[in-house]
Amino acid sequence: MSWRRGGGDGGVARRWVLLLCVGSFGLGLLFTNRMWTLPEASEVPIPNERRQKEAELAAGDCNLGKVQGKRDYNDMLHISDTHHDVQTLDKTIANLETELSAVRSLQYSFLNGSPVSEEYKASESTGRRKYLMVIGINTAFSSRKRRDSIRNTWMPQGEKRKKLVEKGIIIRFVIGHSAISGGIVDRAIEAEDRKHGDFLRLDHVEGYLELSGKTKTYFATAVALWDANFYVKVDDDVHVNIVTLGNILSKHVLKPRVYIGCMKSGPVLSDKDVRYYEPEHWKFGDAGNKYFRHATGQLYAISKDLATYISINKHVLHKYINEDVSLGAWLIGLDAEHIDDRRLCCGTPPDCEWKAQAGNTCAASFDWKCSGICNSVQNIWGVHNRCAEGEKVLLTASF
C-alpha cells in the first residue's frame, strides 16, 4: 500500500494513522493500571526451613528475659560454689599448717629429750580428742619453788591429773630453752619433767624481754598438740580454781572467736626508768595516751580460732615489750568478741574469800600491786586454804 496526501479510495489518510497510535497508547495505559498489585514482602511465601528458623528466633525473643534470668542464676550459683571452694581451701591450708606446727613441735621434743604427752600419743592413735581447755602456766628456769607451790595447791598431781584430762582439761608448765641449748638449766628442767611429767617445752629462748615471743610460741604449740575449745595462759604466781574457770569458759563454747579476761586500758609508759616502759610508745599517739582494751596478763583465754590465727601468722605478728599488750594488738583488728569477766582477777583474801562465801567463787586470785600473789611461794597456801573451791568439787565436776 502507498501513502498519499489526499484521501482516495485505495489509501489511508495520515491523520487516521495518528489517531490510531494515540488510541493504542491510551488503551495500553488503561490496561497497565488494571494489572495486579505486587504482594508485600510479608505476604511472599517463605520456604518451610526458613519459616521454621524465623519462628525459633521469634520464640527466643519472647523468652529472652527467662533465658537471661536462668543465666544470671547459674552465674550466681557458680560464684557461690567458687566462694565455698575458696573457704574450703583456706580451711584446708590452715589445718595443714597446724599439723605442720605439730610435727615441728614433736620433732623438737624428740631432739631435746622431752617426753611426748601420753594424751597426745593416745589421740594420734584414735583421732584427735576434743578438750575443753589447755592451761599453760608460764614459768622460768629460776621458778622451781613456785612450780612446787602450785603442784601442792591448785594443780592436781598423779592420777588426779589424769582424771582431769578425762574431763577435758590439760595443764602444763610452759617453758622454752636456754640460749645454750642443753646447758645445766635445760638438764634441770628435763629432770624435773621426768619426775612430774607436767611440762610443755617450747622452741623458744627464755628471757624476760622475750615474753611476747614466748606467748606466740605457746599458742602455736598448744593448738598443734591439743584440739581444745580454749587455750589459757596463766602466770606461776596466780591461784586458779580450775572448775570455776572451766564453767566460765563453757558458757562461750559456741562462740568461734572469743578473748576472755579482765580487760584494762593502762597508760602507755614513755619513761624508760619505770617498770613496763614501752619503747614504741610513739606508735600509740601523744604522751599520756592509753593502750587499747586488752586482758591483763595474769590470766586470759582465747578460743581455738584465735589460737590458730596466731599460729599461722606468728612470723608477722609484731611483738611489743609487754606481752599482754602484744596479744591485745594481735586481736584488736579481728572480728573477735572481748569478754570482760572480773572473776578472772580477784584479789587475795579477804576479797576472794568474801566472794566465795557469797557464792561467787573466783577463778583466779592475785595481788594487783605485785602483778601476782606477793611472795607467792609462801602466801599461795593461805589463798588456797581460804579461797579454793575444794578438791571434791574438782573430782565431781563435769563440763
Side-chain angles (χ1 to χ4, degrees), residues 216-233:
K216 278 200 297 186
T217 306
Y218 160 61
F219 284 125
T221 305
V223 78
L225 292 176
W226 298 288
D227 182 11
N229 290 306
F230 295 98
Y231 300 85
V232 181
K233 177 263 176 181

Side-chain angles (χ1 to χ4, degrees), residues 16 33 36 52 97 109 112 143 153 163 169 223 235 328 356:
W16 290 109
N33 289 336
W36 291 342
Q52 182 179 358
E97 292 191 359
S109 297
N112 290 276
S143 297
T153 53
K163 289 183 179 179
I169 299 174
V223 78
D235 288 339

Side-chain angles (χ1 to χ4, degrees), residues 7 13 32 40 49 53 127-128 133-134 138 142 145 153 201 230 237-238 255 267 273 288 290 309 319 329:
T32 302
E40 297 291 335
E49 183 179 354
K53 290 182 179 178
R128 297 192 75 187
M133 60 181 174
V134 175
N138 186 38
S142 60
K145 292 183 178 180
T153 53
R201 300 298 302 277
F230 295 98
D237 55 356
V238 173
K255 300 175 182 178
D273 295 326
K290 292 185 177 182
Y309 169 81
K319 298 179 293 184

Side-chain angles (χ1 to χ4, degrees), residues 99-357:
E99 291 176 7
L100 179 59
S101 297
V103 172
R104 288 172 175 169
S105 298
L106 289 174
Q107 182 185 36
Y108 175 78
S109 297
F110 288 135
L111 292 177
N112 290 276
S114 301
V116 180
S117 68
E118 293 299 323
E119 307 94 73
Y120 184 70
K121 291 178 181 178
S123 68
E124 285 302 289
S125 62
T126 60
R128 297 192 75 187
R129 175 184 170 179
K130 189 73 174 182
Y131 297 92
L132 171 64
M133 60 181 174
V134 175
I135 302 175
I137 307 171
N138 186 38
T139 192
F141 290 119
S142 60
S143 297
R144 173 64 185 265
K145 292 183 178 180
R146 285 188 179 183
R147 292 191 290 274
D148 284 340
S149 69
I150 288 178
R151 291 182 180 116
N152 292 324
T153 53
W154 63 266
M155 180 179 178
Q157 296 297 297
E159 291 299 319
K160 294 179 181 178
R161 185 159 62 86
K162 290 182 179 179
K163 289 183 179 179
L164 204 60
V165 172
E166 296 173 1
K167 295 178 183 294
I169 299 174
I170 303 290
I171 306 178
R172 292 289 187 274
F173 288 106
V174 179
I175 197 166
H177 58 83
S178 64
I180 304 175
S181 184
I184 186 171
V185 291
D186 290 306
R187 293 198 298 271
I189 292 295
E190 291 165 9
E192 188 178 347
D193 196 18
R194 285 193 294 270
K195 179 179 180 180
H196 297 283
D198 56 5
F199 278 92
L200 171 60
R201 300 298 302 277
L202 304 179
D203 184 10
H204 169 80
V205 178
E206 285 289 323
Y208 180 75
L209 299 179
E210 295 297 327
L211 290 179
S212 294
K214 183 176 182 179
T215 299
K216 278 200 297 186
T217 306
Y218 160 61
F219 284 125
T221 305
V223 78
L225 292 176
W226 298 288
D227 182 11
N229 290 306
F230 295 98
Y231 300 85
V232 181
K233 177 263 176 181
V234 58
D235 288 339
D236 62 3
D237 55 356
V238 173
H239 183 273
V240 177
N241 281 323
I242 299 172
V243 175
T244 303
L245 176 60
N247 288 334
I248 291 173
L249 298 183
S250 295
K251 295 179 180 179
H252 306 288
V253 165
L254 298 180
K255 300 175 182 178
R257 293 174 298 278
V258 289
Y259 172 31
I260 306 173
C262 289
M263 299 296 164
K264 65 174 184 177
S265 180
V268 181
L269 301 177
S270 57
D271 185 354
K272 63 179 61 178
D273 295 326
V274 300
R275 191 180 184 186
Y276 306 127
Y277 161 67
E278 177 58 73
E280 296 180 273
H281 57 85
W282 61 274
K283 288 186 176 180
F284 298 92
D286 299 329
N289 278 1
K290 292 185 177 182
Y291 288 115
F292 39 77
R293 289 284 173 186
H294 62 280
T296 184
Q298 284 81 4
L299 186 148
Y300 50 74
I302 61 174
S303 57
K304 181 183 177 180
D305 280 7
L306 297 182
T308 302
Y309 169 81
I310 292 173
S311 175
I312 293 173
N313 297 283
K314 60 182 179 292
H315 299 299
V316 295
L317 294 176
H318 184 68
K319 298 179 293 184
Y320 291 100
I321 195 68
N322 295 305
E323 161 252 340
D324 53 353
V325 171
S326 292
L327 180 66
W330 302 335
L331 305 182
I332 193 68
L334 302 183
D335 184 16
E337 181 179 355
H338 289 51
I339 297 175
D340 181 26
D341 196 316
R342 310 315 287 184
R343 289 174 293 175
L344 302 180
C345 56
C346 294
T348 54
D351 180 47
C352 58
E353 186 176 18
W354 290 343
K355 291 176 180 177
Q357 292 173 355

